[in-house]
Amino acid sequence: MSLLVSFTVIGESSSDHLARKIASKLKSKYIGCELRVFPDGESKITLKTKPKGKIVVVHSVYPPVDSNLVRVLALVSQAKKYSSEVYVVIPYMGYARQDREFLPGEVVTMSLVAKMFKVAGATRIIVVDIHSILALKHFQIPTKNVTAIGELVKYFKRLHLKYPLVVSPDMGGVERAKNFANMMGVDYIALEKHRDRKTGEVIIKSKNHYEVRNRDIILVDDMISTGGSIVKAAEHLKKQKCGKIYATCTHALLIGDAERKIRKSGVTRIVSTNTIPGKTSMVDVSPVIVKAIS
Ligand code: R5P
C-alpha cells in the first residue's frame, strides 16, 4: 500500500464527489479547485493547493461538454507543471460517439480531442465504459477502459427480480448485455434498433419477443442521452406483456425531459453510476477506477 500514497488526486465540481472517493481509496491527498465562470462563458480554474508526486486528475466531460472539456484540459496542463506523471480519469468521455466518419464530410472530433489530451500533458487516460473502443484508439498515450457492469450487477442482484431477462435496446450492445446476463446468471436478448443518422429518430424493428412475457426486464445500455432508445425499447417490451422494466446504464446524461419520458414509457426505475452525478446515479464506480490506477 505504500506506493499508493504518492498520488495527489485533483477534482473539480463536475466529478469532485467521485474524485474524493478515489483519493480516499488510494489513501492519497485530495485537492479541490475553485471554478469561476465569466459572463461570456469562459472558465477560470484555480487549484486550492500545490500537488505533489504522481497526479490523478478526475473530470467527466458531460454537459456543458465543451466547457468541461476545456476545464479538464486546463487542469491537466496545470498538473503537468508539478509532475511528469499525470493520469487523467475521464469517467464519462464526451465526444466518444464521434469516433468515425458516419456520413461523408463529418469531422471525427474524437480524434482531435484525444490529441488535445496528449498536448495538454496527460501521460495515461482511464475511462469508464467508453462508447466505443475505436474512440479510445485515437489517443496516442496509454489508455485503459474499465467497466462498471460488475458494480451495476451487484446492485441488481440485491433487488430479487422476478425471473429477470437482460435486454439490450440494440444489436451494438449485445456483448454488454451478454456480460451483464452472465454475471447475473440469467438470459439475455438484443432488440433490433434503427436510428436515422440525419434526424436521430429511433425505431425498433424487432418482431415479437414472447420470451419477455411476465418477466422483469433489465434494459442495459452504455448511456442514456435523450432517452429515445430506452423509451422505444420499453414501449416494445410492454406490448409483449413483460413484467417490470428497469433501465440501467453507466452514464445517465438524461437530457431535457428524458427522465419523465422514460418513466412514462413504463420504466419502474433508472439505475446509473456516478460517472455523471444525478438522481439516478446510485452505483459507485470508484472501486474499478482505483483498481485501474493502482
Ligand atoms: C447508441 O449506440 C448508444 O449506445 C445509446 O443507445 C444511445 O446513445 C442512447 O441515446 P438516446 O438516449 O438519445 O437514445
Side-chain angles (χ1 to χ4, degrees):
M1 289 299 265
S2 59
L3 277 177
L4 300 181
V5 289
S6 62
F7 285 108
T8 297
V9 178
I10 299 177
E12 190 275 309
S13 54
S14 90
S15 299
D16 59 347
H17 192 63
L18 182 54
R20 280 177 202 275
K21 281 180 187 284
I22 292 171
S24 144
K25 289 195 170 71
L26 285 172
K27 302 201 185 322
S28 298
K29 187 175 174 188
Y30 170 81
I31 296 184
C33 306
E34 199 183 297
L35 171 69
R36 198 171 148 205
V37 180
F38 289 116
D40 63 357
E42 278 181 16
S43 303
K44 183 186 174 81
I45 305 177
T46 310
L47 278 189
K48 289 195 176 150
T49 17
K50 282 186 186 171
K52 276 196 220 134
K54 286 185 185 174
I55 297 176
V56 182
V57 174
V58 183
H59 203 301
S60 264
V61 179
Y62 59 78
V65 171
D66 293 344
S67 295
N68 274 323
L69 179 61
V70 169
R71 289 169 196 168
V72 61
L73 289 166
L75 276 176
V76 172
S77 76
Q78 185 69 2
K80 192 67 182 208
K81 291 183 184 161
Y82 298 99
S83 176
S84 57
E85 290 270 17
V86 181
Y87 292 12
V88 190
V89 175
I90 312 163
Y92 171 67
M93 181 72 244
Y95 282 104
R97 285 181 289 180
Q98 297 189 47
D99 58 353
R100 68 198 87 180
E101 188 180 338
F102 292 100
L103 296 176
E106 282 180 357
V107 178
V108 183
T109 307
M110 188 62 231
S111 164
L112 169 70
V113 169
K115 284 182 198 131
M116 285 157 83
F117 276 98
K118 187 178 179 192
V119 170
T123 51
R124 193 169 160 196
I125 301 283
I126 296 161
V127 292
V128 185
D129 287 326
I130 193 161
H131 179 68
S132 82
I133 292 301
L134 181 61
L136 214 53
K137 293 212 165 96
H138 291 291
F139 287 90
Q140 292 151 5
I141 47 176
T143 56
K144 190 159 180 63
N145 179 49
V146 297
T147 182
I149 289 181
E151 304 305 307
L152 290 165
V153 165
K154 281 184 208 160
Y155 179 95
F156 277 94
K157 276 191 170 164
R158 291 197 295 265
L159 294 187
H160 304 294
L161 304 183
K162 188 174 143 198
Y163 193 27
L165 178 71
V166 172
V167 180
S168 167
D170 55 42
M171 291 296 171
V174 69
E175 272 305 306
R176 183 180 310 114
K178 184 180 169 187
N179 292 339
F180 198 111
N182 286 346
M183 285 188 221
M184 286 283 291
V186 303
D187 301 329
Y188 70 95
I189 58 167
L191 303 180
E192 205 183 321
K193 175 182 101 177
H194 172 78
R195 185 189 291 274
D196 186 305
R197 289 244 163 249
K198 287 211 168 112
T199 63
E201 202 203 332
V202 168
I203 53 165
I204 299 291
K205 290 166 84 184
S206 298
K207 301 273 178 288
N208 292 340
H209 279 286
Y210 298 108
E211 65 269 53
V212 309
R213 185 158 293 201
N214 293 327
R215 293 175 76 170
D216 285 345
I217 303 292
I218 308 172
L219 262 175
V220 181
D221 213 337
D222 60 332
M223 60 194 287
I224 302 176
S225 180
T226 63
S229 306
I230 293 293
V231 166
K232 294 290 176 185
E235 286 170 355
H236 175 80
L237 295 163
K238 276 281 165 196
K239 272 192 219 144
Q240 320 286 318
K241 304 206 177 338
C242 65
K244 284 185 179 168
I245 303 178
Y246 294 80
T248 189
C249 66
T250 304
H251 316 292
L253 289 160
L254 296 171
I255 305 299
D257 63 349
E259 195 185 337
R260 189 191 58 79
K261 285 192 297 194
I262 291 171
R263 294 198 192 284
K264 204 170 150 228
S265 72
V267 171
T268 301
R269 193 181 301 180
I270 307 169
V271 179
S272 66
T273 78
N274 54 356
T275 59
I276 299 176
K279 261 204 283 182
T280 64
S281 58
M282 304 162 200
V283 173
D284 176 25
V285 290
S286 65
V288 287
I289 292 174
V290 166
K291 215 168 153 196
I293 295 171
S294 49

